[in-house]
C-alpha cells in the first residue's frame, strides 16, 4: 500500500517552508500515490511558495505573540481558538496517516489536534536553539528530527534523531564547472571572489558593511558577488561594475558557491546546513533580531568546531577588516575552515527524515 496521506505544516519563513517541501518531495518519490496537504498561516509566504512547488495548502488564521503589548497580542486567543477549530476540521476530513511539523506558528494547532487523535506526528527542528512551537509540541509527538547535538535540553532524549536539515537537491548534486560559473557572473578567474548572502529579503547591516568596504575589497583585488536582497536592490544596484556584481536574488546558487573563495552570510539554519555541504570558508554575521537569538547560537555551534568565523553585528565596525584579512591572507586558515565545516555536513537529511516517517507507517 502506498496511497498514504500526509499533512505537512510549517512556515512563516523560508527556513520552515523549504524543509517541508523537501520532505514532501521525498515522500512523493517513495509513495507516488500518496496524497499530500500543507497547512500554513493565512497571510504568510507559504501560501504562495507551496502552490509554486505543486502542493495544495490550507491556511489557518494564526500568528505569533509579539514581545510587547499590541493589538495583535489581544487577538491571539481568538486566532488560536479559530485555528484549533479549523485544524480539527482539516484533520477529520483529510484523515492523515502521519503529520509532519517543521516549525512556525501554524504547526502548533495542527499537531496538537493530530496528536490528540493519536495520529503519529514528527517534528523537524532546524536550529540549535529550539523554537517555542516545537518545544510546546515535544511531548505530544513520536519523533523529533534535529540538526545539532545537545538538543536534550529542549526535547525528550528518547525521541531525538539527528538527521540534519534538508537542503536543496541541486546543491548536493552540483559538481558545477567553475569556468561556466565565472562566465555566468562575468568574473576573472585570476582574482579572488567574495560571496555576500543576506537572505532573500536582504540584511541591512551586512549591506551597509559591504558598501563601506567596497574600496577595501577592490584594493585587495577581490571581486564581489553581492546578493543584497529584494528590499535593497534599488539602493545598491548603482555599484554594479566589472568587479562588483549586485543581485536582488541569486537563481544559480550552485554557480555562486562554485566561484566563491570566501563567503559572508547570515546564520539561519537553512544557510548553515547548505554552507556545510558547500565546504567553503565562511564568516557568519548572525541577525540579532530573531527569536531567542538563534542565529548567533547556530553560528557559535560551528565556531566551537573551528568550522566558521563568527562576527557579531554590534562588533563589525571595529573588527571586520582585521578578522576578514586574517582569513583572506591565510590559505592555511581557509583550508582548516573548509575541512572542518565539511565534517558537519549531513547531505542525507531528507532521506533520513523520510526513513523515520516510513518506520512510523510500518509500526501503525
Amino acid at each position: 500500500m502506498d496511497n498514504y496521506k500526509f499533512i505537512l505544516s510549517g512556515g512563516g519563513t523560508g527556513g520552515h517552508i523549504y524543509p517541508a517541501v523537501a520532505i514532501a518531495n521525498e515522500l512523493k518519490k517513495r509513495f507516488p500515490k500518496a496524497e499530500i496537504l500543507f497547512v500554513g498561516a493565512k497571510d504568510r509566504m507559504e501560501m504562495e511558495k507551496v502552490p509554486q512547488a505543486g502542493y495544495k495548502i490550507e491556511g489557518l488564521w494564526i500568528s505569533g505573540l509579539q514581545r510587547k503589548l499590541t493589538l495583535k497580542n489581544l487577538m491571539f486567543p481568538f486566532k488560536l481558538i479559530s485555528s484549533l477549530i479549523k485544524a480539527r476540521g482539516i484533520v477529520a476530513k483529510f484523515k492523515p496517516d502521519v503529520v509532519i511539523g517543521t516549525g512556525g506558528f501554524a504547526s502548533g494547532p495542527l499537531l496538537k489536534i493530530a496528536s490528540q487523535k493519536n495520529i503519529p506526528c514528527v517534528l523537524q527542528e532546524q536550529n540549535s536553539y529550539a523554537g517555542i512551537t516545537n518545544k510546546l509540541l515535544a511531548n505530544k509527538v513520536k519523533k523529533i528530527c534535529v540538526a545539532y547535538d545537545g538538543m536534550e535540553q529542549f526535547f525528550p532524549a528518547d525521541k531525538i534523531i539527528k538527521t540534519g536539515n534538508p537542503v536543496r537537491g541541486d546543491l548536493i548534486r552540483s559538481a558545477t564547472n567553475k569556468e561556466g560559473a565565472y562566465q555566468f557572473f562575468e568574473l576573472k578567474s585570476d582574482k579572488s571572489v567574495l560571496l555576500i548572502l543576506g537572505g532573500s529579503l536582504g540584511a541591512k547591516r551586512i549591506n551597509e558593511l559591504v558598501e563601506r568596504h567596497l574600496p577595501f575589497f577592490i584594493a585587495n583585488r577581490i571581486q564581489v558577488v553581492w546578493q543584497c536582497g529584494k528590499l535593497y536592490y534599488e539602493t545598491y544596484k548603482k555599484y554594479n561594475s566589472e568587479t562588483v556584481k549586485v543581485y536582488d536574488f541569486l537563481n544559480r546558487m550552485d554557480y555562486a558557491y562554485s566561484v566563491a573563495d570566501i563567503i559572508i552570510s547570515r546564520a539561519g539554519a537553512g544557510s548553515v546546513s547548505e554552507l556545510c555541504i558547500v565546504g567553503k570558508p565562511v564568516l557568519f554575521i548572525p541577525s540579532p533580531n530573531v527569536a531567542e537569538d538563534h542565529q548567533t547560537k547556530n553560528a557559535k555551534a560551528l565556531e566551537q568546531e573551528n568550522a566558521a568565523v563568527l562576527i557579531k553585528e554590534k562588533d563589525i565596525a571595529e573588527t571586520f577588516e582585521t578578522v576578514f584579512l586574517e582569513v583572506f591572507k591565510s590559505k592555511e586558515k581557509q583550508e582548516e575552515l573548509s575541512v572542518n565545516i565539511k565534517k558537519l555536513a549531513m547531505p542525507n537529511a531528507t532521506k533520513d527524515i523520510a526513513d523515520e516517517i516510513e518506520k512510523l507507517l510500518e509500526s501503525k
Side-chain angles (χ1 to χ4, degrees):
M1 163 175 166
D2 75 351
N3 52 345
Y4 292 114
K5 292 182 167 191
F6 301 105
I7 294 183
L8 290 105
S9 183
T13 66
H16 294 312
I17 299 161
Y18 181 74
V21 170
I23 295 165
N25 292 343
E26 179 65 25
L27 291 171
K28 199 76 183 153
K29 208 161 79 184
R30 294 187 186 200
F31 309 111
K33 292 183 188 153
E35 273 185 72
I36 294 175
L37 176 69
F38 277 72
V39 174
K42 253 191 182 136
D43 50 353
R44 303 301 290 259
M45 63 194 277
E46 55 265 31
M47 300 311 288
E48 178 195 338
K49 297 286 179 205
V50 168
Q52 280 172 7
Y55 294 104
K56 278 190 278 202
I57 185 164
E58 296 258 3
L60 303 180
W61 185 46
I62 187 78
S63 61
L65 277 165
Q66 309 298 308
R67 289 177 195 193
K68 43 191 185 292
L69 194 65
T70 63
L71 185 61
K72 273 188 175 169
N73 275 356
L74 296 175
M75 295 300 290
F76 182 77
F78 302 103
K79 288 183 175 184
L80 185 61
I81 292 162
S82 148
S83 294
L84 286 164
I85 292 166
K86 185 159 185 195
R88 183 170 277 122
I90 291 168
V91 169
K93 191 176 164 201
F94 191 75
K95 298 187 174 61
D97 293 288
V98 176
V99 174
I100 301 112
T102 60
F105 317 125
S107 60
L110 189 88
L111 272 79
K112 185 175 165 53
I113 296 294
S115 61
Q116 278 174 358
K117 295 194 174 299
N118 292 322
I119 296 162
C121 296
V122 177
L123 280 184
Q124 199 259 327
E125 174 54 64
Q126 296 101 34
N127 290 294
S128 60
Y129 194 93
I132 188 161
T133 306
N134 281 355
K135 281 194 277 195
L136 291 171
L137 291 167
N139 289 320
K140 299 177 171 64
V141 304
K142 295 275 188 212
K143 295 185 178 180
I144 304 167
C145 297
V146 302
Y148 290 89
D149 292 323
M151 299 303 282
E152 302 78 19
Q153 57 177 315
F154 308 109
F155 303 132
D158 58 336
K159 294 183 180 185
I160 295 174
I161 296 120
K162 190 180 174 190
T163 56
N165 287 326
V167 301
R168 287 176 267 208
D170 57 344
L171 281 184
I172 296 168
R173 291 189 296 272
S174 92
T176 309
N177 78 16
K178 226 170 169 181
E179 213 173 296
Y182 281 115
Q183 282 169 3
F184 180 82
F185 289 112
E186 298 176 347
L187 295 168
K188 293 190 167 70
S189 57
D190 60 344
K191 282 186 180 177
S192 298
V193 177
L194 169 65
L195 172 62
I196 313 284
L197 301 172
S200 52
L201 296 175
K204 184 171 186 282
R205 293 293 301 278
I206 291 181
N207 286 334
E208 288 167 358
L209 173 83
V210 175
E211 181 181 36
R212 244 190 347 268
H213 284 85
L214 286 175
F216 166 78
F217 295 136
I218 291 161
N220 281 285
R221 288 176 50 83
I222 296 168
Q223 303 170 103
V224 181
V225 175
W226 180 8
Q227 188 217 318
C228 64
K230 291 191 185 90
L231 300 178
Y232 301 98
Y233 183 68
E234 290 306 313
T235 311
Y236 295 112
K237 65 180 183 185
K238 63 185 177 203
Y239 292 112
N240 246 320
S241 69
E242 207 178 308
T243 50
V244 180
K245 311 293 175 182
V246 187
Y247 294 86
D248 58 344
F249 185 76
L250 287 165
N251 286 318
R252 289 300 305 261
M253 282 310 296
D254 53 342
Y255 277 167
Y257 286 137
S258 177
V259 293
D261 294 293
I262 295 178
I263 298 168
I264 291 174
S265 175
R266 284 299 200 204
S271 305
V272 172
S273 298
E274 280 190 5
L275 290 165
C276 289
I277 286 168
V278 170
K280 297 279 175 93
V282 184
L283 279 71
F284 283 116
I285 303 176
S287 168
N289 316 312
V290 291
E292 314 283 7
D293 198 16
H294 67 254
Q295 286 203 9
T296 301
K297 288 164 182 145
N298 292 346
K300 267 200 175 126
L302 271 77
E303 187 190 42
Q304 281 159 4
E305 302 291 331
N306 196 13
V309 175
L310 163 61
I311 308 176
K312 290 196 171 162
E313 204 174 80
K314 63 180 175 52
D315 302 333
I316 50 179
E318 295 83 63
T319 63
F320 176 75
E321 284 188 22
T322 317
V323 175
F324 179 82
L325 286 174
E326 263 170 36
V327 177
F328 177 66
K329 294 262 158 101
S330 166
K331 286 282 172 254
E332 206 176 311
K333 180 72 177 163
Q334 290 175 33
E335 180 63 21
E336 188 180 20
L337 290 172
S338 290
V339 168
N340 289 339
I341 198 168
K342 262 194 181 140
K343 284 181 193 160
L344 304 176
M346 299 184 77
N348 299 320
T350 314
K351 288 189 177 72
D352 292 346
I353 293 164
D355 287 348
E356 294 303 326
I357 294 165
E358 224 174 302
K359 282 179 204 164
L360 286 179
L361 292 169
E362 284 161 14
S363 66
K364 273 183 84 180

